Amino acid sequence: MRDEAAVARPERDDYYMGIAFAVRERANCVGFKVGAVLVQGDRVISTGYNGTPAGIRNCDEGGCERCANPERFQSGTGYDVCICVHAEQNALLSAARLQLPAAGALLYTTLQPCFGCLKELAQAHIAGVRYRHPWEHPDATLKTQYLELVELFSEGANSAKKGFSQVFTPDPREAWAQGRRRAASDTGHPKQLPSEREREAGGPA
């Protein structure tokens, strides 16, 4: 007989981040592997992982020139010619193709969204973002602009479901997801830096 006391039911954040981890397994980018899940009304409406568009050779098969030749680009540049679609973008696009309304939804992603993804999430009226691993643009002077976008997720009604925050669901596949473990971004998603809480704890939670 199942021992109910021994089986802890996961909190919602851990539950949905666990689904994002599972989605990430399909990622084919040679850089960081990322998974994302859109949740509307406590139900998953779409998922996405990063990689080349359908019909294009996979990134890990040489399909993306930007990812295959990082030495040609300075850190923080060339995102416009990277053919890979980010996980958050794919989640939004999947919802649109299925004609599922994403406005007001929560996004769970294994890596904090980059500039491009964050502005698209804001424009799509996503209510809140939950991410596992932190992200920082290599150009520190852009931090203020990034934080302006973050503030868009803490406005409006029903604020309890809004916001932009890190969750600490254990990630057993973090090392694999870091791909080639470059010190700087090569696909718009830089190295996964430990948060202050993680540094104080001596490593990822």
Side-chain angles (χ1 to χ4, degrees), residues 7-202:
V7 181
R9 187 183 188 198
E11 297 293 332
R12 279 185 172 82
D13 280 349
D14 293 326
Y15 172 65
Y16 290 121
M17 191 60 73
I19 296 174
F21 288 155
V23 172
R24 184 181 64 184
E25 295 293 316
R26 288 283 297 165
N28 64 63
C29 186
V30 297
F32 286 94
K33 278 89 173 161
V34 184
V37 175
L38 269 177
V39 178
Q40 183 75 278
D42 210 20
R43 295 291 184 273
V44 173
I45 61 169
S46 69
T47 64
Y49 54 85
N50 60 327
T52 54
I56 301 291
R57 208 163 22 129
N58 287 335
C59 181
D60 54 14
E61 297 169 339
C64 178
E65 289 290 331
R66 172 68 178 84
C67 292
N69 301 285
E71 67 282 351
R72 290 171 50 193
F73 301 88
Q74 287 187 323
S75 175
T77 68
Y79 301 163
D80 59 324
V81 296
C82 179
I83 202 171
C84 289
V85 184
H86 288 188
E88 301 92 330
Q89 294 170 321
N90 270 324
L92 285 176
L93 292 167
S94 292
R97 282 197 303 271
L98 296 171
Q99 299 183 347
L100 297 172
L106 282 173
L107 178 95
Y108 286 81
T109 177
T110 59
L111 187 63
Q112 184 175 341
C114 67
F115 260 102
C117 289
L118 193 60
K119 67 183 180 183
E120 290 159 13
L121 292 167
Q123 193 71 355
H125 295 180
I126 298 304
V129 175
R130 308 287 182 264
Y131 63 91
R132 175 58 186 91
H133 298 289
W135 175 90
E136 290 181 7
H137 193 280
D139 185 349
T141 65
L142 297 176
K143 185 174 183 178
T144 299
Q145 187 86 86
Y146 187 88
L147 292 177
E148 283 187 64
L149 290 172
V150 168
E151 284 300 311
L152 296 176
F153 297 92
S154 59
E155 299 176 353
N158 200 16
S159 59
K161 292 187 177 180
K162 291 179 173 283
F164 187 89
S165 61
Q166 183 177 14
V167 297
F168 294 90
T169 308
D171 183 0
R173 294 270 280 166
E174 180 180 1
W176 166 82
Q178 290 182 7
R180 294 182 298 200
R181 301 176 65 89
R182 297 195 178 104
S185 169
D186 57 15
T187 62
H189 280 142
K191 192 175 189 307
Q192 297 175 10
L193 303 172
S195 68
E196 182 177 346
R197 173 175 162 180
E198 288 177 330
R199 286 194 294 269
E200 290 174 353

